[in-house]
Amino acid sequence: MALEHAILVALQEKSGSGYELARRFDRSIGYFWAASHQQIYRTLKRMVELGWVDVQAVVQQGRPDKKVYRVSDAGRAELRRWLAEPDGPAAVRNDLAVKVRGASMGDVRDVMEQVARHRDRHAERLDEYRAIEQRDFPDAGRLTGQRLHQYLVLRAGIRSEQCAVEWCDEVLEAMRRDEEGSRG
Amino acid sequence: MALEHAILVALQEKSGSGYELARRFDRSIGYFWAASHQQIYRTLKRMVELGWVDVQAVVQQGRPDKKVYRVSDAGRAELRRWLAEPDGPAAVRNDLAVKVRGASMGDVRDVMEQVARHRDRHAERLDEYRAIEQRDFPDAGRLTGQRLHQYLVLRAGIRSEQCAVEWCDEVLEAMRRDEEGSRG
DNA sequence: CGGCCGTATGCAACATGTTGCACTGCGACG
DNA sequence: CGTCGCAGTGCAACATGTTGCATACGGCCG
């Protein structure tokens, strides 16, 4: 539905090969859009057919050859069209919440362990994002244009990780209290 | 990957037909797991084949007949197994963030409009969730077991909607400032 | 009486995402 | 000298999710 568009945005920021794009999707772009290298190669192929990107084979020495992709005029037009198009609410799918809701149908401690694990993972991510914020955007507040937009997306990552950590803490605290209450 | 498990949790709370389940997925369960009636019917069929649920045809008068599904012993075992199984980090896919990141590649105002629309949608949801919280859980803090777990999942909904609203506000404010700065 | 809404189930085709594998060549580590 | 990791591309099979349609009955509204 929108991987094409995520790729258009990424390539418009900087042209590159499928491999390089895949690595960017594991990092900066990855904190708001996940995609495997398989998906990316397949989608790039389709985008060439659609005429949204141009390819250029690049011969390299000491490394395998590569294909560099660039957004075409048609691609830029499609990107503008998509940016203006309103989209419906995003579908929510939260595995951990399903587990919490079903906790008493199995071993509650197993679920608590996983909530704790998720909490730590989110806390780690939060630290990474905060480090990026301080390193790359020390001048936040005076940002404009594309740099500002990049910063705002990072802010989404920070907020959602923080939100996740806080919820996990709330869950753990409540479940521990409940556990003690039923024991004592 | 986990729709089966979401259905097991839902059916374990209360047995019912595919249709009824679909409506529950549009409401209470819907705020942490989205599923269409198609998916549900198809998955229930598979779950019968797997032996995780039992079906019973129920003849009705004045209405079409229905099939009532109940979790079997095998289903309960599978549910316990899944609850104990650790799962990897959930894949993030945030359309709106992609649009914000690409805002300057099209008309920035178009993107702002959509951020505003999303903001309002999230704010509405937040109000709904808060209403449910006050109506159904006025005694929060003294909850235990399954009721507590239901409440905690509602809390996830409240937190994430709040988080979304706040981020949208941050984006809108920053983009408005940027707009004025480039004009004046 | 004709059309729409709600209850109730389902197929078929398509779009999207996941998993496992295949192949190349270089440089680093042991 | 083997094998591990990185750079680089890709297919095939499968799992999952979306969209459009089909069918059936009863009640309500105009």
Side-chain angles (χ1 to χ4, degrees):
Chain A
M1 200 156 58
L3 176 57
E4 284 99 332
H5 301 107
I7 290 179
L8 284 175
V9 169
L11 281 182
Q12 187 74 352
E13 285 183 351
K14 192 172 188 313
S15 301
S17 67
Y19 183 85
E20 201 227 314
L21 224 40
R23 273 187 315 162
R24 276 200 262 161
F25 268 81
D26 283 341
R27 325 176 105 261
S28 71
I29 303 172
Y31 49 76
F32 58 95
W33 199 276
S36 65
H37 81 273
Q38 281 310 326
Q39 256 180 290
I40 290 166
Y41 282 125
R42 196 212 281 160
T43 304
L44 280 170
K45 198 184 167 187
R46 206 183 333 132
M47 288 169 79
V48 172
E49 282 162 25
L50 288 165
W52 294 356
V53 292
D54 297 321
V55 215
Q56 200 190 339
V58 173
V59 182
Q60 298 186 117
Q61 57 239 47
R63 298 178 167 199
D65 298 350
K66 66 179 178 179
K67 294 180 182 177
V68 173
Y69 294 87
R70 266 178 205 83
V71 181
S72 66
D73 288 340
R76 268 180 288 274
E78 169 58 23
L79 186 50
R80 273 193 300 277
R81 191 202 60 73
W82 174 75
L83 284 167
E85 174 193 76
D87 39 30
V92 185
R93 250 161 219 138
N94 188 340
D95 281 71
L96 194 60
V98 179
K99 288 199 178 180
V100 168
R101 178 122 170 191
S104 55
M105 299 163 192
D107 189 332
V108 177
R109 300 244 188 119
D110 287 338
V111 176
M112 287 169 74
E113 243 175 71
Q114 284 174 76
V115 175
R117 209 171 294 149
H118 275 258
R119 194 221 100 96
D120 291 345
R121 207 158 23 202
H122 287 298
E124 274 172 41
R125 282 227 149 179
L126 181 55
D127 285 346
E128 286 170 41
Y129 291 171
R130 287 222 170 106
I132 295 170
E133 191 182 22
Q134 301 207 326
R135 190 186 348 109
D136 297 354
F137 304 97
D139 52 342
R142 253 169 290 161
L143 295 169
T144 58
Q146 203 161 344
R147 284 286 293 163
L148 172 62
H149 304 151
Q150 279 175 17
Y151 172 70
L152 288 171
V153 172
L154 177 62
R155 292 290 306 160
I158 290 172
R159 281 179 182 281
S160 84
E161 294 303 327
Q162 193 165 23
C163 179
V165 170
E166 285 168 11
W167 179 69
C168 287
D169 284 339
E170 181 179 354
V171 171
L172 286 171
E173 205 205 305
M175 283 180 134
R176 279 185 197 125
R177 250 191 293 118
D178 188 27
E179 212 185 15
E180 278 171 35
S182 68
R183 254 212 326 263
Chain B
M1 198 156 59
L3 177 57
E4 283 98 330
H5 300 107
I7 290 178
L8 284 175
V9 169
L11 281 182
Q12 187 75 351
E13 285 183 351
K14 193 168 186 313
S15 300
S17 66
Y19 183 84
E20 201 227 315
L21 224 40
R23 273 187 315 163
R24 276 201 263 162
F25 269 81
D26 283 340
R27 326 178 103 260
S28 72
I29 303 171
Y31 49 76
F32 58 95
W33 200 276
S36 65
H37 82 272
Q38 281 311 325
Q39 256 180 291
I40 290 167
Y41 282 125
R42 196 212 279 160
T43 305
L44 280 170
K45 197 183 167 189
R46 204 180 338 131
M47 289 169 78
V48 172
E49 283 161 24
L50 287 165
W52 293 357
V53 292
D54 297 322
V55 214
Q56 200 189 339
V58 174
V59 181
Q60 298 186 114
Q61 58 240 46
R63 298 179 168 201
D65 299 349
K66 64 178 178 179
K67 294 180 181 177
V68 172
Y69 294 87
R70 267 180 203 83
V71 181
S72 67
D73 288 341
R76 268 180 288 275
E78 169 57 23
L79 185 50
R80 273 194 300 277
R81 190 202 61 72
W82 174 75
L83 284 166
E85 175 193 74
D87 39 30
V92 184
R93 249 159 221 142
N94 189 340
D95 280 70
L96 194 59
V98 179
K99 288 200 178 181
V100 169
R101 179 123 169 189
S104 56
M105 298 164 193
D107 189 334
V108 177
R109 298 242 188 120
D110 287 338
V111 175
M112 286 170 75
E113 243 176 72
Q114 283 175 75
V115 174
R117 208 172 292 150
H118 274 259
R119 195 222 100 99
D120 291 345
R121 206 157 26 200
H122 287 298
E124 275 171 41
R125 280 227 150 180
L126 180 56
D127 284 347
E128 286 170 41
Y129 291 172
R130 287 223 169 106
I132 295 171
E133 190 182 23
Q134 300 207 327
R135 190 185 351 109
D136 297 354
F137 304 98
D139 52 341
R142 253 170 288 162
L143 294 168
T144 59
Q146 204 161 343
R147 285 285 294 164
L148 172 62
H149 304 151
Q150 279 174 17
Y151 172 69
L152 290 171
V153 172
L154 177 63
R155 291 291 304 161
I158 289 172
R159 281 179 182 281
S160 82
E161 295 303 327
Q162 195 165 21
C163 179
V165 171
E166 284 168 11
W167 179 69
C168 288
D169 284 339
E170 182 179 354
V171 171
L172 286 171
E173 206 204 305
M175 283 179 135
R176 279 184 199 129
R177 248 191 295 117
D178 189 25
E179 213 186 15
E180 279 170 36
S182 67
R183 253 212 325 263

